[in-house]
Amino acid sequence: MKFIVDHNVGKLVKWLRMMGYDTLFFTGDDDWQMIITALNEGRVILTRDTEIMRRGVIASGRLRAVLIQSDKPEEQMRQVVETLDLDCESGLFTLCLECNTPLVEIEKKQVKERVPPFVFKTQDEYKECPSCRRVYWKGTHWQEMNRKLEELRQG
Ligand SMILES: [Zn+2]
């Protein structure tokens, strides 16, 4: 399952990428552009905009969209996970949170100059985004998000 996230629920972008779901962030003004991209690329739309839900292509069920109810990011994520029965586990830590590119494993010695010394000392597993070159490790930010996903899973 792939997603396109409307600008009014932007917090969902990083959550979904963290879970390994290919996710685009739509920041334009023209809803049709988002709908066309969703149709062309087979993406589910996530939005808080009831206008979009009334469009023929969505109302008829040809294109799937989820109307997000809450304005709280964690509630929003819970709704998406439950409505679409998402897998919170198997894709974790596989996509770049910034640019949606699949991460590749990278050897520890290659990141020595690129991560803070305390991270290098304590972490052995690293991944890199081949597109923006960002280095990922399972540090505190990751653990925090993972803990929240855990809570979502347990309801
Ligand atoms: Zn990247």
Side-chain angles (χ1 to χ4, degrees), residues 96-101 129 131-134 136:
C96 179
L97 301 186
E98 301 301 326
C99 69
N100 201 41
T101 306
C129 171
S131 172
C132 72
R133 312 310 267 180
R134 199 173 288 262
Y136 288 87

Side-chain angles (χ1 to χ4, degrees), residues 6-129:
D6 202 356
H7 60 87
N8 49 31
V9 285
K11 287 270 167 47
L12 291 174
V13 174
K14 282 191 180 177
W15 283 94
L16 289 162
R17 286 180 183 164
M18 190 183 166
M19 288 164 61
Y21 287 99
D22 179 338
T23 302
L24 294 185
F25 187 24
F26 181 76
T27 53
D29 320 306
D30 184 2
D31 294 344
W32 266 117
Q33 205 55 52
M34 180 165 69
I35 289 169
I36 287 164
T37 306
L39 280 171
N40 285 345
E41 300 182 11
R43 295 180 182 275
V44 176
I45 292 178
L46 304 177
T47 185
R48 292 206 71 192
D49 185 346
T50 51
E51 293 287 315
I52 291 176
M53 302 306 286
R54 284 201 282 269
R55 303 274 186 145
V57 66
I58 291 168
S60 69
R62 221 181 112 212
L63 176 63
R64 188 155 193 193
V66 177
L67 182 65
I68 302 298
Q69 309 291 344
S70 175
D71 56 5
K72 297 195 189 78
E74 284 175 39
E75 286 302 311
Q76 294 176 348
M77 197 57 208
R78 185 190 302 274
Q79 185 192 350
V80 175
V81 167
E82 283 174 5
T83 307
L84 301 171
D85 195 23
L86 297 186
D87 176 356
C88 304
E89 224 159 342
S90 47
L92 275 181
F93 201 42
T94 57
L95 277 184
C96 179
L97 301 186
E98 301 301 326
C99 69
N100 201 41
T101 306
L103 300 176
V104 294
E105 278 181 39
I106 181 172
E107 281 188 63
K108 184 171 179 175
K109 60 175 190 275
Q110 291 179 269
V111 302
K112 187 153 201 274
E113 311 297 322
R114 299 165 64 190
V115 301
F118 74 91
V119 169
F120 191 77
K121 247 184 244 170
T122 53
Q123 302 290 322
D124 290 325
E125 204 186 314
Y126 296 90
K127 291 191 178 181
E128 182 187 38
C129 171

